[in-house]
Amino acid sequence: MASVVQSHFILSSRHPRHASFSNLFRTTFGSPLLQNERFGQVRPTPRMGNIKCTMLGNGLFTQTTPEVRRILPERNNNGLPRVKVVYVVLEAQYQSSLTAAVRNLNSKGRDAAFEVVGYLVEELRSESTYQTFCKDLADANIFIGSLIFVEELAQKVKAAVEKERDRLDAVLVFPSMPEVMRLNKLGSFSMSQLGQSKSPFFQLFKKKKQSAGFADSMLKLVRTLPKVLKYLPSDKARDARLYILSLQFWLGGSPDNLENFLKMISGSYVPALKDVKMDYSEPVVFLDSGIWHPMAPCMYSDVKEYLNWYGTRKDAVNMKIRDPETPVIGLILQRSHIVTGDDSHYVAVIMELEARGAKVIPIFAGGLDFSAPAEKFLVDPITKKPFVHAVVSLTGFALVGGPARQDHPKAIEALRKLDVPYIVALPLVFQTTEEWLASTLGLHPIQVALQVALPELDGGLEPIVFSGRDGRTGKSHALHKRVEQLCTRAIRWAELKRKSKEEKKIAITVFSFPPDKGNVGTAAYLNVFSSIFSVLKDLEKDGYHVDGLPETAEALVEDVIHDKEAKFSSPNLNIAYKMNIREYQQLTPYAKALEDSWGKPPGNLNSDGENLLVYGKQYGNVFIGVQPTFGYEGDPMRLLFSKSASPHHGFAAYYSFVEKIFKADAVLHFGTHGSLEFMPGKQVGMSDVCYPDSLIGNIPNIYYYAANNPSEATIAKRRSYANTISYLTPPAENAGLYKGLKQLSELISSYQSLKDTGRGEQIINSIISTAKQCNLDKDVSLPDEGTQLLSDERDLVVGNIYRKIMEIESRLLPCGLHVIGEPPSAMEAVATLVNIASLDRAEEGIRSLPSILAESINRDIQDIYRGNDKGILDDVELLRQITEASRGAISAFVDRTTNKRGQVVDVAEKLGTMFGFGLMEPWVQYLYKTRFLNADKEQLRTLFTYLGECLRLVVADNELGSLKQALEGSYVEPGPGGDPIRNPKVLPTGKNIHALDPQAIPTAAALESAKIVVDRLLERQKADNGGKYPETVALVLWGTDNIKTYGESLAQVLWMVGVRPVADTFGRVNKVEPVSLEELGRPRIDVVVNCSGVFRDLFINQMNLLDRAVKLVAELDEPEDMNYVRKHAAEQAKELGVSIREAATRVFSNASGSYSSNVNLAVENSSWNDEKQLQDMYLSRKSFAFDSDAPGIGMMEKRKVFEMALSTAEATFQNLDSSEISLTDVSHYFDSDPTNLVQNLRKDGKKPNAYIADTTTANAQVRTLSETVRLDARTKLLNPKWYEGMLASGYEGVREIEKRLTNTVGWSATSGQVDNWVYEEANSTFIEDEEMLKRLMNTNPNSFRKLVQTFLEANGRGYWQTSDENLERLRQLYSDVEDRIEGIDR
């Protein structure tokens, strides 16, 4: 697999004579490996998923050695003084230039003999390389460092150089972290005071929000040098001047510049050359920014001059580039690659684009702020319209700021002016081509953080690796097939800008998961067909060719999901196209590679035995198609495989049809989420043999994704090259009370008014009896009816019941399903605003409404929460009053902004008239009627000003607008995904969703929240475990949760083991330190961390951090009864015969490129025999460990260690962090639950306690799993408010009800924590109620059949005991609905 391109492109600005590129280009970059894989020539190379990649050497990502950068003087150097130079750089582009400079100096044999050795900063992770580095420094004269921004490596450089600094003749550090910059020393010039003085150098680091970043500030410094130097004494001025000249030489980068740089520094500062006059020339200065083309006679500083030259070129391979209608692509390049001559990868992209008929405008900048050059060279200064149809950055960096600090708002502003698709492609920086090809992870985690995550915050798309690096010369070389993919996709995006709406073809792709006709159009929180109908109506009005669209959304469902021959009673979907085998093989170059998993085509999925079937329906230039599923969800044996299978033939045929037969200009994946982005391949930075890359081919991908799911949206963005557009989750409402719970609430009100009369005892008996009927005796300790209770005891019983029903009543739940482009009504916005108002926002100076109200009656809200949690009746009642007053004040506020139809309109205008009138303010008027009339008016005004802004965002709808922008080839503005209550910046929806800088978590605030939850968890476990701390907690880390909470659950793990994260100068967290046992005040708890596949992809740096934290703790010299990590690691090390460090492996996930334990697939498809089989799936899929000592190896299977670690667990633990997703809403939670598994692994067979932390409100709770399942059932599945809201969405609503019941069975299977009454109540709600039963069956018979089947399965597996009559009724129903679906009329 590591056969790779090693030759280099010979064209550059110095060789303009080659005019014919095609053949040369293909022979230079098309290695047999890369050509064969794509086109099936010779024999197919096995793909990711079928192969086991191993990493050689030291287990690190970077296997290269500094010896390839060591240049020794010639032997016969005539006794010249020796000058030894050691350099450390981020990237290798200086290697060839510096090598050429030194060789030239040595060949002249004058003045000095130079020895030079260079290190890539990433190589210093290897201990042996680091020792060689220290040894090299020990006899060096000069040290040079540049772009050292990775903290742990910066510390290593600092430690090594500091020891030698006084002895070294010169230390030159160019833009790097402040602690490395302080090492600078040139005669009397020093930066050791950096950070404590007002020196101009210090100003480079001081400003947190400085836009330009180091390199640009330094360039500015170079330009303003005279002003700076005139205030310095003459010797200092000379040294400072030489430092600035050094920087100019370095940034100039050419062999000539570097040769003169070495002569200047050696002649000025090396004592042995004191009497030698070493002449050097001034730096050859290149343009700071400009336009560069390898065939052009010069660099251009004026775009018109460049375009004049371009229009008169005689060398163009493709004459199409003269056509004024041809697409124009802007390229962004790093100047350092051009001036050092390391530009062959840039040349390759330029030539490939031109060969495909596109014009190019390649711009560059010397610093790391590309926003001004982009505006200057890519936008017409007169018309303000862009010259280009798409922009591709080949730097890999964020548009403003590079690897240090970024200024995303400035970048977004510049990209908004360009208003074209913005692609950020990747050159390999920390790996050679072989290392990348061999890695299952793909890109190095540091590169993912710097060059994938950060550009996404600018709105960057498509992280395609386009160039590799030669381990020997350090030079970049193009990867031909990747360059081809990048250029074709860039042109396809540009075509969207150029084509007319009428001729554009759009393939809307819906999902069906699990595979069943009742599930077509699956998407989280979205009414898919109503949304598609709304989108198509809008596109038709806008000029797109939509032909034959039915009159209603319901008719659209019928069209797509029913075979037109069989009408209603059909088990089959509508067939849009039959693809024969020969056509499939011609259109699908990777078809042969799928045969390992699925045999010869057509197979039995999406096939009629002869052809592959594409399901869907075409309406003019719009095709609505159904994406096939994984294909193995119904096969228990396949579900046990530790690595996921390739896509099946039907899946591949679907995408071949969309791209090559329907010829889509764009594909629109509709809703969260499909399977494409979860197919096997590298995690990030895919190669040709990664399935998501092959499947999406060249089609621009637009993807509607739920705003609250940034983690999986990021996977779609990185692995299927999607422009992800956020949609709103349904507006949240309070769950309210119903049936017995409502009656109970009324009884409690009576008790409160009559408790001191003789009727108090009588009412308490009714309360206890009704609470038992509502099954609350599982959650609250209730005395027997008739028990004599004292007044205080009665109050406590009532207080605890009241607390429980208020918890149910105030629980937020999304009601119904969202329709794209439908803004919420006023009342729908109220519950969201109430919850936004319930959180303190210290960083914005905003107090929460509950705390302002509590303070107005001289109480502290935290005190009230504590009293409420203990069931103190007065505090429970007071909290209810505060909640009611909050709702009332916010309703009064929203009411003022509402029209007669209840919609929020003209928010800005209405708010303008509302503020500043004191008593007239509607919230003040409302609160005057309550006990909270003394609430602080200033604090209220600050809060309501903020809520006014949030209300604007809630109702600002841009979901359709953004889709149209994307389809028109415009820039879609980026925005964070997450929980709109915690982070209202998620709104308005219709943004290109991004996650966050992975190195920025956990934040200090997240750590504080984590401490509270961990303390409550341990206290709860102690109370349930005879006063003993749990020795081990098995827990789960989710990608989305950590994005929403900025790393709270990550911080929980760190706090359990007793370490704290340490941030560097830039706020990046790459280090931990132990907290002393005295400060911790308890033992260090051992952990078994199961990271979701998405967390692994997004936060591999944090997995590294966690593994280092656990190993650090395992090696502390502490008593075993105070350090359970050490205790268990020592026992396991002894049994396994390994070191304690290796035994302390605690961070696990799936194999690279695989996701989930498959337990969810087995449960959803009823394809499992017994719980043991589910547990085997979990163990085989989730036992891949991450090792911080060998991170380059990726995920290594360590099942034995995993089992041993789990066998010590006394508690299992998960987090719920937002009201929109709870335990039974999605299958992920039970899919990752090891409760029953741990019981089977423990030697004593004891079941661990299972806990769920609920941080969805300001008053964080730790509940048992069974309490949480009950709360979930009461607020959703059994709650008329919830299921009626779902049924209002029609077809999709029935599926949502069925899904909740299936997920409840999942919890029974993995934990056994579901009470019988939950199933019994569900049966009486949906089956015994005749009218409800008919509604379900008529609305979606397929999903209703699955609901009936799930009830029968719950009984058959022993999870639900019920009467024979109920079971007989269910069997008869199943038979009836089956007949109806098959069209049999009995």
Side-chain angles (χ1 to χ4, degrees):
M1 189 160 182
S3 128
V4 79
V5 187
Q6 291 282 359
S7 50
H8 306 296
F9 207 97
I10 58 170
L11 294 164
S12 75
S13 51
R14 289 163 293 288
H15 299 282
R17 61 187 179 278
H18 298 283
S20 173
F21 296 108
S22 265
N23 293 335
L24 171 67
F25 188 75
R26 298 210 184 291
T27 52
T28 309
F29 295 104
S31 77
L33 163 86
L34 297 176
Q35 285 179 332
N36 293 344
E37 285 165 343
R38 199 61 147 174
F39 297 113
Q41 299 160 359
V42 199
R43 60 184 178 79
T45 308
R47 298 183 147 242
M48 310 292 296
N50 309 25
I51 57 175
K52 198 164 187 176
C53 289
T54 54
M55 182 64 73
L56 304 172
N58 54 18
L60 299 174
F61 283 89
T62 305
Q63 302 288 324
T64 50
T65 158
E67 295 313 310
V68 299
R69 279 168 243 110
R70 190 181 295 278
I71 301 150
L72 298 170
E74 315 216 345
R75 293 240 172 114
N76 53 345
N77 58 22
N78 304 323
L80 291 171
R82 192 197 67 132
V83 176
K84 183 171 180 182
V85 180
V86 178
Y87 67 93
V88 175
V89 288
L90 176 76
E91 298 182 70
Q93 71 257 46
Y94 277 87
Q95 180 181 333
S96 58
S97 212
L98 209 45
T99 301
V102 173
R103 289 213 164 114
N104 195 38
L105 279 171
N106 285 341
S107 69
K108 291 174 186 168
R110 290 204 302 266
D111 304 328
F114 286 86
E115 177 186 343
V116 173
V117 60
Y119 292 78
L120 299 181
V121 69
E122 195 56 32
E123 290 168 349
L124 300 179
R125 282 186 197 279
S126 157
E127 200 44 47
S128 62
T129 305
Y130 183 64
Q131 291 310 323
T132 311
F133 170 60
C134 295
K135 206 166 148 193
D136 273 324
L137 279 174
D139 62 347
N141 300 87
I142 298 165
F143 171 75
I144 303 165
S146 176
L147 294 183
I148 300 167
F149 284 115
V150 180
E151 194 205 14
E152 56 198 298
L153 301 174
Q155 294 295 342
K156 284 184 139 186
V157 171
K158 177 180 176 247
V161 176
E162 229 165 22
K163 274 187 208 157
E164 304 292 338
R165 183 174 181 267
D166 291 343
R167 187 197 57 72
L168 283 159
D169 301 326
V171 177
L172 290 134
V173 182
F174 305 124
S176 292
M177 294 192 73
E179 54 265 48
V180 191
M181 293 292 287
R182 288 189 195 106
L183 297 169
N184 266 302
K185 178 190 92 162
L186 217 53
S188 59
F189 172 80
S190 161
M191 285 196 191
S192 58
Q193 297 305 302
L194 188 64
Q196 297 127 46
S197 74
K198 292 190 174 178
S199 75
F201 298 102
F202 171 50
Q203 303 307 314
L204 305 181
F205 310 100
K206 198 172 144 197
K207 298 171 197 154
K208 271 270 184 219
K209 293 194 174 158
Q210 144 182 312
S211 60
F214 294 141
D216 296 279
S217 302
M218 286 204 138
L219 284 173
K220 209 175 282 174
L221 197 58
V222 169
R223 291 193 289 272
T224 56
L225 179 66
K227 293 176 197 163
V228 176
L229 297 183
K230 68 181 179 189
Y231 298 110
L232 295 175
S234 57
D235 60 331
K236 286 196 174 177
R238 171 187 172 267
D239 294 328
R241 179 177 175 276
L242 292 189
Y243 177 79
I244 297 295
L245 273 180
S246 300
L247 180 61
Q248 282 183 314
F249 277 127
W250 186 257
L251 293 174
S254 63
D256 283 353
N257 271 335
L258 295 179
E259 187 176 326
N260 283 305
F261 164 53
L262 290 175
K263 288 197 316 198
M264 177 184 84
I265 295 300
S266 306
S268 305
Y269 296 103
V270 174
L273 299 173
K274 192 168 57 179
D275 302 324
V276 179
K277 186 171 177 358
M278 290 185 81
D279 291 323
Y280 61 90
S281 309
E282 290 289 305
V284 176
V285 179
F286 295 89
L287 289 174
D288 271 356
S289 63
I291 305 173
W292 171 85
H293 190 291
M295 309 308 293
C298 62
M299 291 175 170
Y300 292 93
S301 59
D302 183 305
V303 66
K304 292 285 165 62
E305 280 181 36
Y306 170 78
L307 292 173
N308 287 342
W309 165 78
Y310 204 86
T312 57
R313 281 175 64 187
K314 305 269 190 298
D315 57 67
V317 182
N318 190 334
M319 281 303 141
K320 259 193 180 162
I321 67 171
R322 297 273 176 83
D323 181 348
E325 289 303 300
T326 199
V328 185
I329 310 290
L331 296 175
I332 297 176
L333 318 175
Q334 253 181 297
R335 191 184 71 163
S336 58
H337 278 283
I338 299 167
V339 298
T340 57
D342 184 19
D343 55 18
S344 67
H345 53 321
Y346 291 169
V347 175
V349 173
I350 291 166
M351 295 307 152
E352 180 70 19
L353 284 167
E354 292 184 341
R356 290 177 179 275
K359 291 180 187 169
V360 291
I361 305 180
I363 69 168
F364 66 85
L368 293 167
D369 180 354
F370 296 96
S371 61
E375 262 180 74
K376 181 178 174 185
F377 301 121
L378 301 180
V379 179
D380 188 317
I382 296 155
T383 65
K384 301 296 177 201
K385 288 189 174 158
F387 289 120
V388 292
H389 300 109
V391 170
V392 182
S393 169
L394 300 181
T395 69
F397 287 121
L399 192 73
V400 182
R405 297 201 176 108
Q406 296 74 40
D407 186 340
H408 300 294
K410 185 177 180 185
I412 290 165
E413 191 49 46
L415 291 165
R416 216 194 266 127
K417 287 177 188 167
L418 277 172
D419 196 31
V420 295
Y422 173 57
I423 292 169
V424 182
L426 304 169
L428 290 178
V429 175
F430 300 114
Q431 295 148 286
T432 62
T433 309
E434 295 95 328
E435 287 160 0
W436 166 68
L437 279 172
S439 169
T440 55
L441 293 176
L443 276 187
H444 188 298
I446 297 285
Q447 187 167 4
V448 174
L450 292 179
Q451 297 200 324
V452 180
L454 295 177
E456 284 170 352
L457 306 186
D458 295 341
L461 305 172
E462 311 214 356
I464 296 172
V465 174
F466 75 99
S467 72
R469 187 164 63 73
D470 185 301
R472 191 173 42 81
T473 64
K475 279 209 156 195
S476 304
H477 49 223
L479 301 167
H480 172 51
K481 299 309 300 176
R482 303 283 72 214
V483 166
E484 223 174 60
Q485 175 78 321
L486 171 66
C487 294
T488 314
R489 292 189 61 80
I491 291 169
R492 292 294 300 275
W493 275 110
E495 291 289 356
L496 288 176
K497 196 81 175 163
R498 293 179 54 258
K499 268 192 172 181
S500 72
K501 291 173 186 173
E502 196 179 16
E503 63 182 321
K504 276 179 201 167
K505 295 180 115 181
I506 303 159
I508 294 178
T509 297
V510 299
F511 314 119
S512 174
F513 204 83
D516 178 276
K517 211 169 110 178
N519 290 327
V520 173
T522 320
Y525 315 105
L526 191 64
N527 188 328
V528 171
F529 282 105
S530 294
S531 295
I532 291 175
F533 187 73
S534 153
V535 164
L536 290 184
K537 278 285 187 206
D538 205 81
L539 291 180
E540 188 175 32
K541 198 167 74 188
D542 214 37
Y544 288 83
H545 177 49
V546 183
D547 189 33
L549 188 66
E551 289 301 305
T552 64
E554 290 70 29
L556 181 65
V557 175
E558 294 298 315
D559 249 13
V560 175
I561 75 167
H562 295 307
D563 187 316
K564 57 185 175 299
E565 307 295 315
K567 294 293 175 204
F568 178 79
S569 304
S570 151
N572 300 317
L573 301 174
N574 191 62
I575 295 167
Y577 190 78
K578 294 186 177 185
M579 190 182 288
N580 66 45
I581 305 310
R582 177 173 292 191
E583 183 180 28
Y584 163 67
Q585 288 171 330
Q586 281 172 341
L587 297 177
T588 315
Y590 52 94
K592 194 90 181 128
L594 311 186
E595 292 181 14
D596 279 359
S597 289
W598 301 100
K600 299 255 180 233
N604 56 4
L605 295 162
N606 290 67
S607 132
D608 60 7
E610 290 179 21
N611 304 290
L612 286 153
L613 306 178
V614 176
Y615 295 118
K617 181 89 177 171
Q618 190 167 338
Y619 301 96
N621 279 348
V622 175
F623 168 67
I624 300 175
V626 182
Q627 185 191 70
T629 57
F630 285 112
Y632 49 75
E633 45 280 295
D635 181 343
M637 290 318 294
R638 280 185 190 275
L639 291 174
L640 280 165
F641 294 164
S642 64
K643 295 182 182 178
S644 301
S646 72
H648 56 82
H649 296 295
F651 201 102
Y654 176 83
Y655 282 95
S656 292
F657 166 81
V658 167
E659 183 180 358
K660 292 164 184 169
I661 293 171
F662 176 67
K663 293 188 165 38
D665 290 291
V667 61
L668 169 59
H669 286 98
F670 218 98
T672 307
H673 60 73
S675 316
L676 167 66
E677 60 268 35
F678 296 101
M679 287 296 175
K682 296 181 189 299
Q683 285 175 203
V684 190
M686 292 180 294
S687 72
D688 299 68
V689 293
C690 298
Y691 288 113
D693 182 273
S694 301
L695 289 158
I696 197 63
N698 297 320
I699 325 167
N701 182 10
I702 303 163
Y703 209 141
Y704 267 135
Y705 232 90
N708 68 348
N709 193 344
S711 63
E712 288 177 318
T714 302
I715 300 293
K717 191 188 285 289
R718 293 176 186 177
R719 301 186 90 242
S720 69
Y721 310 140
N723 188 344
T724 48
I725 296 175
S726 63
Y727 62 82
L728 204 57
T729 48
E733 291 184 38
N734 298 106
L737 299 174
Y738 55 93
K739 298 181 184 168
L741 294 169
K742 197 169 187 185
Q743 191 186 340
L744 200 48
S745 169
E746 288 158 4
L747 283 169
I748 289 171
S749 291
S750 303
Y751 174 80
Q752 285 181 292
S753 53
L754 300 171
K755 66 177 183 171
D756 297 327
T757 70
R759 293 191 55 201
E761 277 186 57
Q762 189 186 341
I763 298 172
I764 189 96
N765 285 332
S766 299
I767 288 173
I768 292 168
S769 150
T770 310
K772 285 180 178 171
Q773 284 165 22
C774 294
N775 298 293
L776 286 176
D777 51 332
K778 308 281 193 307
D779 300 286
V780 179
S781 176
L782 296 177
D784 294 332
E785 287 166 60
T787 306
Q788 290 297 308
L789 298 170
L790 299 172
S791 170
D792 284 355
E793 291 171 332
R794 286 203 302 265
D795 279 2
L796 193 59
V797 170
V798 174
N800 274 312
I801 295 171
Y802 197 11
R803 171 180 69 85
K804 203 73 212 168
I805 63 171
M806 290 323 296
E807 182 178 75
I808 295 165
E809 189 279 338
S810 61
R811 189 109 179 133
L812 273 193
L813 50 104
C815 276
L817 296 169
H818 178 62
V819 175
I820 295 287
E822 283 193 8
S825 71
M827 289 326 289
E828 287 170 340
V830 168
T832 302
L833 290 178
V834 169
N835 281 276
I836 288 172
S838 71
L839 300 176
D840 281 322
R841 297 174 196 273
E843 67 285 358
E844 296 174 70
I846 294 167
R847 297 276 310 280
S848 75
L849 188 49
S851 65
I852 296 171
L853 299 183
E855 205 171 75
S856 74
I857 55 166
N858 301 316
R859 288 291 306 272
D860 175 67
I861 191 67
Q862 294 302 328
D863 260 359
I864 298 170
Y865 287 149
R866 279 189 287 272
N868 172 79
D869 293 350
K870 289 175 186 162
I872 296 167
L873 186 56
D874 289 347
D875 283 345
V876 180
E877 173 59 21
L878 177 56
L879 187 56
R880 186 194 65 76
Q881 289 172 7
I882 287 173
T883 306
E884 204 169 273
S886 299
R887 289 176 192 169
I890 289 171
S891 295
F893 164 61
V894 172
D895 199 44
R896 285 278 188 95
T897 66
T898 309
N899 66 14
K900 290 191 177 73
R901 287 193 312 246
Q903 286 174 311
V904 178
V905 287
D906 299 328
V907 180
E909 193 185 314
K910 296 268 179 125
L911 291 179
T913 61
M914 201 182 291
F915 287 108
F917 288 103
L919 284 176
M920 297 301 291
E921 290 167 345
W923 52 90
V924 174
Q925 283 180 330
Y926 177 85
L927 291 173
Y928 259 52
K929 300 177 213 153
T930 71
R931 66 187 289 190
F932 308 108
L933 68 166
N934 293 324
D936 186 307
K937 291 187 182 54
E938 270 313 304
Q939 290 186 355
L940 285 172
R941 189 171 296 153
T942 304
L943 171 64
F944 277 88
T945 305
Y946 179 75
L947 292 180
E949 188 50 44
C950 293
L951 181 60
R952 272 193 204 100
L953 297 176
V954 171
V955 300
D957 165 49
N958 197 30
E959 294 168 357
L960 265 170
S962 294
L963 170 65
K964 290 195 283 195
Q965 281 176 292
L967 287 172
E968 286 157 27
S970 287
Y971 173 69
V972 178
E973 200 170 315
D979 178 2
I981 288 165
R982 284 176 188 262
N983 180 14
K985 291 191 181 85
V986 166
L987 303 167
T989 45
K991 289 177 179 164
N992 175 0
I993 311 179
H994 59 69
L996 41 70
D997 177 355
Q999 296 181 101
I1001 67 168
T1003 60
L1007 183 62
E1008 288 312 306
S1009 301
K1011 287 178 181 177
I1012 293 167
V1013 170
V1014 169
D1015 293 347
R1016 288 184 184 178
L1017 169 70
L1018 297 179
E1019 283 309 311
R1020 179 77 199 255
Q1021 169 68 356
K1022 269 176 78 179
D1024 296 348
N1025 195 34
K1028 289 189 298 195
Y1029 281 108
E1031 292 199 4
T1032 305
V1033 175
L1035 46 83
V1036 185
L1037 291 181
W1038 298 104
T1040 286
D1041 296 12
N1042 278 287
I1043 293 169
K1044 288 178 184 172
T1045 63
Y1046 296 94
E1048 271 179 31
S1049 49
L1050 175 66
Q1052 288 165 4
V1053 182
L1054 297 174
W1055 194 244
M1056 281 182 202
V1057 300
V1059 302
R1060 64 165 59 86
V1062 181
D1064 69 12
T1065 320
F1066 304 119
R1068 297 177 309 199
V1069 180
N1070 288 308
K1071 213 164 74 170
V1072 290
E1073 63 185 23
V1075 176
S1076 69
L1077 288 171
E1078 291 72 28
E1079 184 186 339
L1080 203 57
R1082 60 162 170 81
R1084 302 186 194 277
I1085 309 298
D1086 198 359
V1087 290
V1088 188
V1089 186
N1090 163 15
C1091 301
S1092 74
V1094 174
F1095 183 93
R1096 173 206 62 207
D1097 284 6
L1098 265 51
F1099 296 114
I1100 197 96
N1101 289 296
Q1102 273 55 34
M1103 288 175 75
N1104 192 19
L1105 193 74
L1106 285 175
D1107 188 60
R1108 279 172 25 217
V1110 174
K1111 286 172 173 164
L1112 170 75
V1113 167
E1115 292 180 323
L1116 291 174
D1117 186 8
E1118 291 174 342
E1120 287 190 346
D1121 63 342
M1122 291 303 287
N1123 184 336
Y1124 298 137
V1125 183
R1126 183 173 179 78
K1127 175 185 173 182
H1128 297 150
E1131 290 164 0
Q1132 288 151 11
K1134 194 172 172 185
E1135 192 172 331
L1136 294 166
V1138 296
S1139 68
I1140 282 190
R1141 190 170 178 83
E1142 194 179 330
T1145 296
R1146 297 290 185 269
V1147 183
F1148 297 89
S1149 185
N1150 295 78
S1152 297
S1154 295
Y1155 302 83
S1156 101
S1157 70
N1158 284 353
V1159 169
N1160 57 346
L1161 298 182
V1163 168
E1164 285 163 348
N1165 294 279
S1166 305
S1167 50
W1168 55 291
N1169 302 325
D1170 53 29
E1171 289 178 10
K1172 172 79 171 65
Q1173 194 178 44
L1174 296 180
Q1175 290 164 21
D1176 282 345
M1177 282 175 201
Y1178 184 94
L1179 287 170
S1180 75
R1181 302 267 305 170
K1182 288 300 213 177
S1183 57
F1184 289 78
F1186 183 82
D1187 183 359
S1188 57
D1189 294 334
I1193 293 175
M1195 308 305 297
M1196 287 284 285
E1197 192 163 14
K1198 291 195 175 176
R1199 181 160 170 168
K1200 181 68 183 154
V1201 179
F1202 187 43
E1203 289 183 14
M1204 288 173 82
L1206 280 174
S1207 72
T1208 64
E1210 291 172 297
T1212 63
F1213 177 61
Q1214 293 203 51
N1215 282 281
L1216 288 177
D1217 63 275
S1218 87
S1219 53
E1220 295 150 323
I1221 306 178
S1222 195
L1223 289 189
T1224 58
D1225 291 328
V1226 291
S1227 58
H1228 303 61
Y1229 288 119
F1230 74 76
D1231 179 72
S1232 284
D1233 172 54
T1235 306
N1236 283 352
L1237 167 62
V1238 168
Q1239 181 179 10
N1240 281 352
L1241 291 173
R1242 282 182 65 92
K1243 287 176 185 155
D1244 58 8
K1246 184 184 166 200
K1247 191 167 208 160
N1249 292 324
Y1251 297 103
I1252 304 288
D1254 179 346
T1255 57
T1256 59
T1257 65
N1259 184 20
Q1261 300 287 320
V1262 173
R1263 301 186 185 93
T1264 63
L1265 174 55
S1266 55
E1267 283 169 355
T1268 312
V1269 170
R1270 288 193 289 272
L1271 179 61
D1272 224 32
R1274 288 179 176 123
T1275 52
K1276 288 193 176 150
L1277 185 65
L1278 307 175
N1279 184 352
K1281 193 172 191 176
W1282 180 82
Y1283 59 70
E1284 288 297 346
M1286 284 301 165
L1287 287 173
S1289 300
Y1291 165 87
E1292 276 113 334
V1294 183
R1295 185 183 60 235
E1296 292 294 325
I1297 292 167
E1298 175 271 306
K1299 187 169 88 175
R1300 296 308 182 294
L1301 186 69
T1302 300
N1303 290 343
T1304 304
V1305 170
W1307 281 110
S1308 290
T1310 63
S1311 70
Q1313 302 283 304
V1314 184
D1315 298 323
N1316 200 68
W1317 68 263
V1318 172
Y1319 293 111
E1320 200 65 32
E1321 290 281 322
N1323 181 65
S1324 67
T1325 302
F1326 300 111
I1327 305 297
E1328 287 178 9
D1329 180 333
E1330 204 63 46
E1331 196 181 319
M1332 172 63 77
L1333 184 147
K1334 282 180 186 157
R1335 282 169 73 193
L1336 297 172
M1337 188 190 280
N1338 291 334
T1339 311
N1340 187 337
N1342 291 276
S1343 284
F1344 179 66
R1345 172 177 60 182
K1346 178 73 166 74
L1347 184 79
V1348 172
Q1349 180 192 322
T1350 304
F1351 275 118
L1352 288 167
E1353 187 181 348
N1355 171 262
R1357 294 190 187 278
Y1359 302 143
W1360 173 38
Q1361 309 306 317
T1362 191
S1363 67
D1364 290 343
E1365 292 83 7
N1366 278 343
L1367 295 173
E1368 192 46 49
R1369 175 94 197 278
L1370 286 163
R1371 290 186 196 108
Q1372 186 56 49
L1373 266 177
Y1374 188 83
S1375 173
D1376 292 349
V1377 74
E1378 185 98 305
D1379 287 349
R1380 180 164 181 182
I1381 288 167
E1382 296 293 338
I1384 299 167
D1385 185 6
R1386 291 187 191 275

